[in-house]
Amino acid sequence: MKKIKVGLVGYGFSATVFHAPLLSVLDEFHISKVMSSNPEKVKSDLEDVEVVSTLSELLEDDSIDLVIITTPSGMHYEMVKDALRAGKHVIVEKPMVVSEKEANELIQLAKEQDVQLSVYHNRRWDNDYLTVKQLIEEGKLGDVKMYEAHFDRYRPAVRDRWRENEGPGSGALYDLGSHLIDQALHLFGMPDFVQADVFGQRDHARTDDYFHVVLGYGSLRVILHSSAIVPSNGPRFQVHGTKASYIKYGIDGQEDMLRAGKKPVDDTWGADSPEHYGKLTTGEGETTEIETLHGSYVTYYQKIADSLLRGEELPVSAEEARDVVKVIEVAFESSKEKRAVYFN
């Protein structure tokens, strides 16, 4: 079987937690080069990998099929553009870029170069979201009228890191909002309008750390929320339909497992704790505990392999990721102008 030779750009949190461990358990991939300013760290994890200091060195290697870009969001556009021009397939961390204009340029360039461009929206494979999606698709909730998803944390002190400093692509809406928006668009498509409140809530905040975004779809309202000052979390998901409600506490544990050095090597991966199973309550008041489906971030890369080796559809298209960025831009506009912004 032909292996997909990978060039990994950046070796910080994203690469070491969300990319390298997943690639390492799939036979279809081989990480052959890493661009990093910390070769000792790379070599301690990936002994047989060549470490380079510039993107151009990595792109000059004709044997590399796929470039995975895990650098800060403001660097994505130029790096993706260079990789596409070099004739490489590209995966880029979310958010894809920081503007719809940049996204459209990259989509056109990928078509011109006849290469694949995908974005790592891994939380489509969270166990809680997969369960919500299945319940909706099976009609268990009836006609969904309200969908609310939270990504709350308790991080009251502002830290000195790029996501919390002023700059392109920084802040909670681009970071955590990308996940929640992608999930919502994957379920319901593009909304009719966006109404948002986005600002820095913590003392000495340098960028946004709070958002409350409402997406309007006819009689359906989608509420996406995040705050950094939540000592005790409420429900992760609340979904209400004409037949039933589904309430789910707790967050998918795959990130914590990957942080701890574990890898998805058996069928226990992505399982939820029984105490966090959600509850489905019908209009007649009958409540059923719903076992959470298993999460599977590795599925994203399995589908990437299917796409590059067997011509199947990408797990996340560049156009889908572009729409996430479009909603983020409109949410900032809505918050600034204190009004709902309609797409049509």
Side-chain angles (χ1 to χ4, degrees), residues 11 19 30-31 76 87 95 107 121 146 152 154 160 162 165 175 193 202 215 232 235 275 293 295 321 331 335:
Y11 202 70
H19 295 277
H30 174 70
I31 301 174
H76 289 177
I107 289 168
H121 277 294
M146 204 276 274
D152 295 319
Y154 184 58
D160 184 17
W162 74 263
N165 289 323
D175 183 20
F193 69 84
R202 294 175 295 176
L215 308 181
S232 179
E275 64 266 27
L293 298 178
S335 182

Side-chain angles (χ1 to χ4, degrees), residues 33 35 52-61 79 82 86:
K33 267 197 177 115
M35 187 201 92
V52 296
S53 58
T54 66
L55 179 60
S56 59
E57 288 177 89
L58 187 146
L59 297 179
E60 287 167 1
D61 186 339
M79 286 186 158
D82 288 347

Side-chain angles (χ1 to χ4, degrees), residues 150-263:
H150 281 239
F151 209 140
D152 295 319
R153 291 170 165 172
Y154 184 58
R155 295 181 178 174
V158 177
R159 293 180 288 173
D160 184 17
R161 59 182 194 140
W162 74 263
R163 285 186 176 87
E164 297 185 54
N165 289 323
E166 189 175 358
S170 69
L173 187 57
Y174 272 111
D175 183 20
L176 305 180
S178 289
H179 292 308
L180 298 183
I181 292 167
D182 178 67
Q183 290 174 341
L185 300 190
H186 192 52
L187 284 174
F188 305 114
M190 285 293 284
D192 302 322
F193 69 84
V194 177
Q195 188 160 10
D197 182 23
V198 187
F199 70 105
Q201 190 174 53
R202 294 175 295 176
D203 293 340
H204 313 298
R206 294 181 289 268
T207 186
D208 59 282
D209 56 24
Y210 170 98
F211 61 80
H212 188 87
V213 177
V214 179
L215 308 181
Y217 300 81
S219 63
L220 165 66
R221 292 294 179 269
V222 168
I223 298 168
L224 310 174
H225 182 95
S226 178
S227 172
I229 309 177
V230 182
S232 179
N233 283 305
R236 170 80 163 165
F237 282 98
Q238 296 186 65
V239 189
H240 306 286
T242 53
K243 289 184 181 179
S245 294
Y246 176 70
I247 311 293
K248 173 74 172 71
Y249 288 80
I251 190 170
D252 180 283
Q254 291 178 85
E255 178 176 339
D256 286 343
M257 295 172 75
L258 290 165
R259 280 175 180 261
K262 298 177 182 177
K263 296 181 180 181

Side-chain angles (χ1 to χ4, degrees), residues 45-192:
D45 295 341
L46 308 168
E47 293 180 4
D48 61 340
V49 166
E50 182 181 350
V51 183
V52 296
S53 58
T54 66
L55 179 60
S56 59
E57 288 177 89
L58 187 146
L59 297 179
E60 287 167 1
D61 186 339
D62 291 336
S63 72
I64 289 177
D65 306 298
L66 172 65
V67 173
I68 301 172
I69 295 171
T70 70
T71 52
S73 306
M75 302 171 71
H76 289 177
Y77 171 69
E78 291 295 341
M79 286 186 158
V80 172
K81 184 165 64 172
D82 288 347
L84 293 175
R85 283 176 171 167
K88 309 297 186 183
H89 301 297
V90 176
I91 291 169
V92 60
E93 257 292 351
K94 61 79 210 165
M96 177 185 183
V97 282
V98 300
S99 73
E100 181 188 6
K101 179 177 181 293
E102 290 179 345
N104 284 330
E105 288 180 18
L106 296 179
I107 289 168
Q108 182 59 35
L109 180 57
K111 290 177 180 175
E112 291 171 359
Q113 295 291 101
D114 194 26
V115 292
Q116 299 283 15
L117 172 59
S118 182
V119 179
Y120 187 65
H121 277 294
N122 61 306
R123 290 193 177 271
R124 287 191 192 183
W125 292 274
D126 274 359
N127 56 24
D128 45 15
Y129 174 73
L130 289 172
T131 305
V132 168
K133 183 170 179 282
Q134 178 174 282
L135 290 170
I136 291 174
E137 290 175 345
E138 290 179 347
K140 297 289 180 63
L141 302 168
D143 186 10
V144 176
K145 296 297 184 181
M146 204 276 274
Y147 169 103
E148 183 170 352
H150 281 239
F151 209 140
D152 295 319
R153 291 170 165 172
Y154 184 58
R155 295 181 178 174
V158 177
R159 293 180 288 173
D160 184 17
R161 59 182 194 140
W162 74 263
R163 285 186 176 87
E164 297 185 54
N165 289 323
E166 189 175 358
S170 69
L173 187 57
Y174 272 111
D175 183 20
L176 305 180
S178 289
H179 292 308
L180 298 183
I181 292 167
D182 178 67
Q183 290 174 341
L185 300 190
H186 192 52
L187 284 174
F188 305 114
M190 285 293 284
D192 302 322

